[in-house]
Amino acid sequence: TPWADTRLYEMHLRGFTRRHPALTERERGTIAGLSAPAIIDYLKALGITAVELLPVHAFIDEPFLRERGLSNYWGYNTLSWFAVHPAYLAGGGPGDFRRMVEVFHDAGLEVILDVVYNHSCEGDHTGPTLSLRGIDNASYYRLEQADPARYVNDTGCGNTLAADHPAVRRLVLDSLHYWAGRMGVDGFRFDLAPIMGRSGHGYDPHAALLSQIATDDRLARCKLIAEPWDVGPGGYQLGAFPPGFSEWNDRYRDSVRRFWRADDGELPELARRLHGSSDIFEGQGRSAAASINFVSSHDGFTLRDLVSYARRHNLANCEENRDGHAENFSDNSGVEGETHLPTVRELRARQQRNFIATVLLSQGVPMLQAGDELGRTQRGNNNAYCQDNALSWLDWDSGDDALHDFTRDLLTLRAGEPLLRADRFRHELPDEDGQSLDWVAPEGTPATEGVWHDPERACIGCLMKQDERGSERPYTLLLILNAQAHDVDFVLPAGPGPWSLLVDSNCAPWVFDLPHEVGTAFTVAGRSVALLRAEAVLSP
C-alpha cells in the first residue's frame, strides 16, 4: 500500500483477540485467533490498511514484575529476535505466523511489526545471563567507560545495545531480513529508534545501521517507522531520521490534545501539525508521509480515558502511581472517571469524535489505537505494560457502536479523497497538479498574523483546493475545527460551487452519505469538527 493510502491500526495481538466472542478459547490471544475470519472481516470493514503489532518476538517477564505477581504484557523485553513469542503460537510453529501474514495479505492488509533492537531482556548488571551477555558482553552492549561492569542505560531498561558494533548491526539486519523475507511482513516500527543511531559520541542520523536499513535492497519494499526518542542524552530526535523512515509524531499528539482541551495560544502549533508538520520534515526533502499522526497509542491513555481522566490511575502497577506519564494533556470535563451525568457523557462522546476526525482529516499518515473506535477504557491506567488481564483486553461485548460507525465512515471518506492523502506538502500556491492548502479565519478571510497571535482564538479553517489541472470538476474542501465552548458563525469563503456539509461531529449522522447543502455561512457548534465541500457545477 502506498504511504499516501496507508491507514495504520496499532494492535496488541493478545489483547485484541482474548475476549472476542467469535473465537474459541484455544484461538483467543493467539496468532490463529488473529487470522480468524471474524477478525479479518472486522478490520476490512473498518477501513484500515495496515496492522501494526506490538512485539511478537519471544520475550520474558522482568524479575521485578514476577516479584509483584505481574507480567510483561506489551512484550518490549526481547529474548530472541528470530522467534515468535511461544504463547502466541499456542503450541504451533513459526509457519503459523507466516500463514497469518498470508491471510492478511489475501485480505489486502499489511502487517507491520513493532521491534525492539535497543536493549535485551538481560537487564542491568544484576540481571540474568541468557544470551548476548554470555556470548560477548563487551561487543553487544554499551558499557560505562568509568565502570565497564555496568551498562549505559539510554533505554531505561537496564542496558543498551551497541548499535555501532558490526555484530549488533548484523544481528539487526539478519533479523529484519528473516521477518521481511521468510515471514513476509510489510514493515517495522523501531522502538526507541535513536539507539540505532548512537555511538559513544551521541546520535548520528547518518549512522551505519540506520543507513544500512534505509538502503538495504531486501528491505526496500518495507515501511520503516521510527519512534524518534530514547531516554539518553540528546535522545529526542523527531525529524532527524534519514529519508526512507517515517516517524511517530508526538508533537502532533500533544498539540491536538492541548487544542481540544482549549489551551490558550495553541492555534499556530496545531496548524503546523495538521499540515503534516512541514516545519519538521519538508526541509529535509521528506513528504508529509514522514509524519505518523496519532493522539493515543499503547503508551498512555486510551482515547476514552483521554476525555475521562485528568490524572493517571496506575496503582495496579504496584509502583505507588509514580510510573507512566505525569502530564497527559487530558481533560475529564469536570468529573474524574466514569459518570452518569448526561451532559458530561455527551461532551466526552463528541470529544472522542473530534480526536478521531482530526487524525483522519489531517495531512500525514493517520494511526489509530485498536479499540479506541469502540471506546475501550483502561480505567485511567496510562502505563498498562504489566496488565495482562481484562484491564487491557478489548471488551467486545460493551463496544461503542456509534463511535465505531463514525470511525468507519471517516476512514472510508479519507480513502476516497485525494486532498487528504499524504503524498506531498501542499501550500498556498497551487502545485503542478493544481493542489493547494491555506488557512481561513471564521470571518471568511485569510488567517492573518493577528489571528495566529490571538491566544484566545481556538477556531480555524483549513482550505484545501483542487483546480482544473487535476480534476474535470474543480473542488475545495474546508476543514473547520472549533475548540471553543461556544458556537461560531463561520463565513464560508467563495468556492467553485455551492458548499455542502460532509462531516459534523456535533450532529448525527455525523458523516453524511450524500452532501448536505448549506448556504454562505455555517454555524460550527462549540467543541466540534466540520468538513465541507464546494464543487464546480458542469455546464450542460
Side-chain angles (χ1 to χ4, degrees), residues 412-432:
T412 300
L413 186 152
R414 181 184 176 94
E417 182 44 71
L419 286 177
L420 297 175
R421 295 178 188 161
D423 58 344
R424 76 193 83 172
F425 285 108
R426 302 173 177 90
H427 295 283
E428 180 180 359
L429 296 177
D431 59 22
E432 60 184 11

mmCIF file of all heavy atoms in Angstrom, residues 412-432:
data_model
loop_
_atom_site.group_PDB
_atom_site.id
_atom_site.type_symbol
_atom_site.label_atom_id
_atom_site.label_comp_id
_atom_site.label_asym_id
_atom_site.label_seq_id
_atom_site.Cartn_x
_atom_site.Cartn_y
_atom_site.Cartn_z
ATOM 1 N N THR A 412 -13.509 5.608 5.428
ATOM 2 C CA THR A 412 -13.979 5.469 4.049
ATOM 3 C C THR A 412 -13.858 6.788 3.302
ATOM 4 O O THR A 412 -13.417 6.831 2.151
ATOM 5 C CB THR A 412 -15.439 4.989 4.035
ATOM 6 O OG1 THR A 412 -15.525 3.717 4.697
ATOM 7 C CG2 THR A 412 -15.962 4.854 2.616
ATOM 8 N N LEU A 413 -14.244 7.873 3.963
ATOM 9 C CA LEU A 413 -14.148 9.189 3.335
ATOM 10 C C LEU A 413 -12.699 9.521 2.993
ATOM 11 O O LEU A 413 -12.396 9.985 1.888
ATOM 12 C CB LEU A 413 -14.738 10.242 4.270
ATOM 13 C CG LEU A 413 -14.875 11.675 3.749
ATOM 14 C CD1 LEU A 413 -16.029 12.378 4.458
ATOM 15 C CD2 LEU A 413 -13.600 12.484 3.939
ATOM 16 N N ARG A 414 -11.791 9.285 3.936
ATOM 17 C CA ARG A 414 -10.381 9.582 3.685
ATOM 18 C C ARG A 414 -9.843 8.763 2.516
ATOM 19 O O ARG A 414 -9.088 9.268 1.686
ATOM 20 C CB ARG A 414 -9.542 9.318 4.935
ATOM 21 C CG ARG A 414 -8.063 9.648 4.728
ATOM 22 C CD ARG A 414 -7.202 9.317 5.915
ATOM 23 N NE ARG A 414 -5.806 9.573 5.588
ATOM 24 C CZ ARG A 414 -5.141 10.704 5.849
ATOM 25 N NH1 ARG A 414 -5.769 11.687 6.478
ATOM 26 N NH2 ARG A 414 -3.885 10.846 5.491
ATOM 27 N N ALA A 415 -10.237 7.492 2.452
ATOM 28 C CA ALA A 415 -9.729 6.620 1.397
ATOM 29 C C ALA A 415 -10.086 7.128 0.010
ATOM 30 O O ALA A 415 -9.351 6.891 -0.952
ATOM 31 C CB ALA A 415 -10.276 5.207 1.588
ATOM 32 N N GLY A 416 -11.201 7.850 -0.116
ATOM 33 C CA GLY A 416 -11.631 8.314 -1.426
ATOM 34 C C GLY A 416 -11.311 9.760 -1.720
ATOM 35 O O GLY A 416 -11.752 10.278 -2.751
ATOM 36 N N GLU A 417 -10.537 10.422 -0.853
ATOM 37 C CA GLU A 417 -10.308 11.852 -1.015
ATOM 38 C C GLU A 417 -8.826 12.173 -1.232
ATOM 39 O O GLU A 417 -8.033 12.163 -0.285
ATOM 40 C CB GLU A 417 -10.829 12.609 0.222
ATOM 41 C CG GLU A 417 -10.682 14.102 0.135
ATOM 42 C CD GLU A 417 -11.078 14.650 -1.221
ATOM 43 O OE1 GLU A 417 -12.286 14.638 -1.523
ATOM 44 O OE2 GLU A 417 -10.173 15.059 -1.981
ATOM 45 N N PRO A 418 -8.419 12.455 -2.476
ATOM 46 C CA PRO A 418 -7.004 12.723 -2.761
ATOM 47 C C PRO A 418 -6.412 13.883 -1.976
ATOM 48 O O PRO A 418 -5.223 13.862 -1.631
ATOM 49 C CB PRO A 418 -7.002 13.017 -4.268
ATOM 50 C CG PRO A 418 -8.219 12.341 -4.795
ATOM 51 C CD PRO A 418 -9.237 12.438 -3.698
ATOM 52 N N LEU A 419 -7.185 14.905 -1.671
ATOM 53 C CA LEU A 419 -6.637 16.068 -0.965
ATOM 54 C C LEU A 419 -6.252 15.750 0.480
ATOM 55 O O LEU A 419 -5.551 16.532 1.117
ATOM 56 C CB LEU A 419 -7.639 17.223 -0.982
ATOM 57 C CG LEU A 419 -7.795 17.960 -2.323
ATOM 58 C CD1 LEU A 419 -8.869 19.033 -2.210
ATOM 59 C CD2 LEU A 419 -6.476 18.564 -2.780
ATOM 60 N N LEU A 420 -6.690 14.628 1.000
ATOM 61 C CA LEU A 420 -6.336 14.240 2.358
ATOM 62 C C LEU A 420 -5.151 13.287 2.400
ATOM 63 O O LEU A 420 -4.703 12.918 3.484
ATOM 64 C CB LEU A 420 -7.540 13.582 3.053
ATOM 65 C CG LEU A 420 -8.769 14.474 3.239
ATOM 66 C CD1 LEU A 420 -9.914 13.659 3.822
ATOM 67 C CD2 LEU A 420 -8.451 15.668 4.132
ATOM 68 N N ARG A 421 -4.647 12.896 1.256
ATOM 69 C CA ARG A 421 -3.574 11.908 1.221
ATOM 70 C C ARG A 421 -2.206 12.558 1.404
ATOM 71 O O ARG A 421 -2.005 13.719 1.074
ATOM 72 C CB ARG A 421 -3.629 11.120 -0.077
ATOM 73 C CG ARG A 421 -4.898 10.302 -0.164
ATOM 74 C CD ARG A 421 -4.994 9.543 -1.461
ATOM 75 N NE ARG A 421 -6.316 8.917 -1.588
ATOM 76 C CZ ARG A 421 -6.814 8.509 -2.725
ATOM 77 N NH1 ARG A 421 -6.128 8.640 -3.851
ATOM 78 N NH2 ARG A 421 -8.015 7.962 -2.759
ATOM 79 N N ALA A 422 -1.267 11.800 1.910
ATOM 80 C CA ALA A 422 -0.007 12.345 2.403
ATOM 81 C C ALA A 422 1.141 12.220 1.410
ATOM 82 O O ALA A 422 2.275 11.984 1.791
ATOM 83 C CB ALA A 422 0.360 11.625 3.699
ATOM 84 N N ASP A 423 0.889 12.374 0.128
ATOM 85 C CA ASP A 423 1.954 12.155 -0.851
ATOM 86 C C ASP A 423 2.838 13.379 -1.059
ATOM 87 O O ASP A 423 3.856 13.296 -1.744
ATOM 88 C CB ASP A 423 1.358 11.707 -2.191
ATOM 89 C CG ASP A 423 0.355 12.707 -2.757
ATOM 90 O OD1 ASP A 423 -0.107 13.578 -1.991
ATOM 91 O OD2 ASP A 423 0.031 12.607 -3.947
ATOM 92 N N ARG A 424 2.457 14.528 -0.490
ATOM 93 C CA ARG A 424 3.250 15.745 -0.677
ATOM 94 C C ARG A 424 2.808 16.789 0.344
ATOM 95 O O ARG A 424 1.783 16.645 0.986
ATOM 96 C CB ARG A 424 3.043 16.294 -2.082
ATOM 97 C CG ARG A 424 1.693 16.998 -2.257
ATOM 98 C CD ARG A 424 1.323 17.267 -3.667
ATOM 99 N NE ARG A 424 0.708 16.082 -4.261
ATOM 100 C CZ ARG A 424 0.140 16.064 -5.456
ATOM 101 N NH1 ARG A 424 0.160 17.151 -6.207
ATOM 102 N NH2 ARG A 424 -0.422 14.975 -5.922
ATOM 103 N N PHE A 425 3.606 17.860 0.433
ATOM 104 C CA PHE A 425 3.177 19.023 1.194
ATOM 105 C C PHE A 425 2.514 20.003 0.239
ATOM 106 O O PHE A 425 3.046 20.304 -0.824
ATOM 107 C CB PHE A 425 4.357 19.703 1.887
ATOM 108 C CG PHE A 425 4.842 18.951 3.096
ATOM 109 C CD1 PHE A 425 6.052 18.274 3.069
ATOM 110 C CD2 PHE A 425 4.088 18.923 4.255
ATOM 111 C CE1 PHE A 425 6.498 17.586 4.178
ATOM 112 C CE2 PHE A 425 4.520 18.232 5.374
ATOM 113 C CZ PHE A 425 5.732 17.562 5.344
ATOM 114 N N ARG A 426 1.364 20.497 0.630
ATOM 115 C CA ARG A 426 0.650 21.481 -0.170
ATOM 116 C C ARG A 426 0.748 22.842 0.511
ATOM 117 O O ARG A 426 0.737 22.931 1.739
ATOM 118 C CB ARG A 426 -0.811 21.069 -0.345
ATOM 119 C CG ARG A 426 -0.971 19.691 -0.993
ATOM 120 C CD ARG A 426 -2.424 19.239 -0.996
ATOM 121 N NE ARG A 426 -2.589 17.962 -1.684
ATOM 122 C CZ ARG A 426 -2.516 16.775 -1.111
ATOM 123 N NH1 ARG A 426 -2.266 16.693 0.187
ATOM 124 N NH2 ARG A 426 -2.692 15.662 -1.797
ATOM 125 N N HIS A 427 0.813 23.892 -0.313
ATOM 126 C CA HIS A 427 0.978 25.239 0.221
ATOM 127 C C HIS A 427 -0.036 26.185 -0.406
ATOM 128 O O HIS A 427 -0.914 25.760 -1.160
ATOM 129 C CB HIS A 427 2.413 25.713 0.006
ATOM 130 C CG HIS A 427 3.421 24.903 0.771
ATOM 131 N ND1 HIS A 427 3.619 25.060 2.115
ATOM 132 C CD2 HIS A 427 4.280 23.916 0.365
ATOM 133 C CE1 HIS A 427 4.551 24.207 2.529
ATOM 134 N NE2 HIS A 427 4.969 23.501 1.483
ATOM 135 N N GLU A 428 0.120 27.472 -0.130
ATOM 136 C CA GLU A 428 -0.856 28.465 -0.565
ATOM 137 C C GLU A 428 -0.994 28.524 -2.075
ATOM 138 O O GLU A 428 -2.100 28.630 -2.613
ATOM 139 C CB GLU A 428 -0.474 29.836 -0.015
ATOM 140 C CG GLU A 428 -1.425 30.950 -0.398
ATOM 141 C CD GLU A 428 -1.004 32.284 0.170
ATOM 142 O OE1 GLU A 428 0.023 32.337 0.879
ATOM 143 O OE2 GLU A 428 -1.690 33.289 -0.107
ATOM 144 N N LEU A 429 0.138 28.451 -2.777
ATOM 145 C CA LEU A 429 0.091 28.482 -4.230
ATOM 146 C C LEU A 429 -0.101 27.070 -4.772
ATOM 147 O O LEU A 429 0.513 26.115 -4.267
ATOM 148 C CB LEU A 429 1.379 29.085 -4.794
ATOM 149 C CG LEU A 429 1.634 30.557 -4.437
ATOM 150 C CD1 LEU A 429 2.980 31.003 -4.993
ATOM 151 C CD2 LEU A 429 0.501 31.439 -4.957
ATOM 152 N N PRO A 430 -0.934 26.884 -5.812
ATOM 153 C CA PRO A 430 -1.154 25.539 -6.359
ATOM 154 C C PRO A 430 0.139 24.917 -6.873
ATOM 155 O O PRO A 430 0.994 25.605 -7.441
ATOM 156 C CB PRO A 430 -2.146 25.781 -7.505
ATOM 157 C CG PRO A 430 -2.805 27.081 -7.177
ATOM 158 C CD PRO A 430 -1.760 27.909 -6.483
ATOM 159 N N ASP A 431 0.290 23.613 -6.659
ATOM 160 C CA ASP A 431 1.449 22.913 -7.199
ATOM 161 C C ASP A 431 1.175 22.495 -8.638
ATOM 162 O O ASP A 431 0.154 22.889 -9.234
ATOM 163 C CB ASP A 431 1.809 21.708 -6.319
ATOM 164 C CG ASP A 431 0.672 20.695 -6.185
ATOM 165 O OD1 ASP A 431 -0.220 20.673 -7.055
ATOM 166 O OD2 ASP A 431 0.681 19.929 -5.204
ATOM 167 N N GLU A 432 2.066 21.690 -9.206
ATOM 168 C CA GLU A 432 1.940 21.356 -10.626
ATOM 169 C C GLU A 432 0.690 20.545 -10.931
ATOM 170 O O GLU A 432 0.242 20.505 -12.082
ATOM 171 C CB GLU A 432 3.184 20.586 -11.078
ATOM 172 C CG GLU A 432 3.414 19.281 -10.343
ATOM 173 C CD GLU A 432 4.704 18.598 -10.744
ATOM 174 O OE1 GLU A 432 5.533 19.227 -11.432
ATOM 175 O OE2 GLU A 432 4.886 17.423 -10.371
#
